[in-house]
Amino acid sequence: MEPSPIIAPSILAADFARLADEVRAIEGAADWVHVDVMDNHFVPNLTIGLPVVQSLRKATSLPFDVHLMITDPERWAPGYAEAGAYNVTFHAEATDDPVALAKTLRAAGAKAGLAIDRDTSVDAYLDLLPHVDTLLIMTIKAGFGGQKFLPETLDKVRAVRRRIDADGLEVRLEVDGGIAADTIEQAAEAGADAFVAGTAVYGAQDPAEAIRKLRELVGGAG
Ligand code: DX5
Ligand code: ZN
């Protein structure tokens, strides 16, 4: 049986002054909460870090899907696992030894995720799939919410899906960037089974309803 699709709203598009309320507003509708950590170095934008994640962890029972857009993930990523993140994703472009970091994260009790930015080919990483739990393909250039979905990135999704299925791997294939009602179906058809959505969820009048609509489009029971 195929695993049901995951909908992971990104709090990057939420009201940062009311984060606990914003996360509670999607409980019961979302599968994971996507937390975008940016260091103004790996990407030209700065968001939140470990203290916020530690505090927010106490405010909800939803699993945290932490997306680290930072340099030196070896130094920082384990702290997010220790803070109770369900999945910790670091960028392929930010590390020389993704397999070692994935091992460290798993040993710290989290799932390990590898992210591939817009301009990075996935080919060199296909052989590493058995070492990770999630593979995130950026469908925009990492750094900012509210950007336009780039359909050409779906070739990478297709390549990863082929390898996951051919080798019978248990890896979630996640897409992030510009995912909304008019783009989520093409991403699902390309083989994604976890969907990050910031603006499409928190820009909506009713975030929980927006999640239900996205889920319907990808055939999830919810
Ligand atoms: C951007 C982040 C995304 C962002 C997506 O670098 O990784 O998670 O929140 O936002 P939307 O859904 O608005 O494109
Ligand atoms: Zn993200």
Side-chain angles (χ1 to χ4, degrees):
M1 209 179 95
E2 302 216 345
S4 7
I6 294 283
I7 308 287
S10 164
I11 54 168
L12 186 60
D15 179 353
F16 274 12
R18 301 172 43 252
L19 270 187
D21 291 341
E22 293 275 73
V23 168
R24 286 188 198 115
I26 59 166
E27 279 177 358
D31 300 287
W32 300 345
V33 182
H34 185 82
V35 181
D36 287 304
V37 173
M38 305 187 192
D39 65 352
N40 197 29
H41 191 70
F42 180 74
V43 288
N45 194 9
L46 184 66
T47 57
I48 56 170
L50 193 51
V52 175
V53 171
Q54 286 166 334
S55 292
L56 200 58
R57 185 56 290 172
K58 299 180 202 126
T60 179
S61 55
L62 278 169
F64 283 6
D65 177 38
V66 174
H67 178 192
L68 299 176
M69 284 159 278
I70 62 171
T71 50
D72 206 1
E74 282 79 8
R75 177 173 173 191
W76 300 106
Y80 291 88
E82 284 151 22
Y86 172 75
N87 178 66
V88 180
T89 291
F90 55 89
H91 266 265
E93 304 83 9
T95 179
D96 292 330
D97 196 345
V99 173
L101 184 49
K103 269 198 193 119
T104 303
L105 288 168
R106 284 172 164 180
K111 302 222 178 268
L114 181 66
I116 309 286
D117 207 353
R118 182 193 66 186
D119 300 329
T120 303
S121 164
V122 78
D123 297 354
Y125 300 98
L126 292 174
D127 288 342
L128 308 190
L129 281 169
H131 301 278
V132 299
D133 303 290
T134 59
L135 195 288
L136 184 155
I137 300 287
M138 292 303 304
T139 42
I140 54 168
K141 171 88 181 146
F144 296 89
Q147 300 182 66
K148 199 171 163 316
F149 175 79
L150 301 169
E152 59 271 27
T153 58
L154 294 180
D155 284 342
K156 291 191 267 188
V157 175
R158 290 186 195 99
V160 176
R161 171 51 59 198
R162 275 195 298 274
R163 180 64 73 92
I164 289 173
D165 290 350
D167 293 357
L169 302 172
E170 276 185 43
V171 176
R172 278 281 177 186
L173 177 45
E174 193 169 4
V175 282
D176 183 5
I179 298 296
D182 59 345
T183 56
I184 195 167
E185 288 166 289
Q186 8 173 348
E189 275 160 27
D193 63 1
F195 306 87
V196 177
T199 311
V201 170
Y202 280 109
Q205 199 70 267
D206 180 346
E209 181 56 25
I211 294 164
R212 282 190 280 272
K213 284 199 178 127
L214 290 174
R215 194 188 298 285
E216 262 174 42
L217 290 166
V218 292

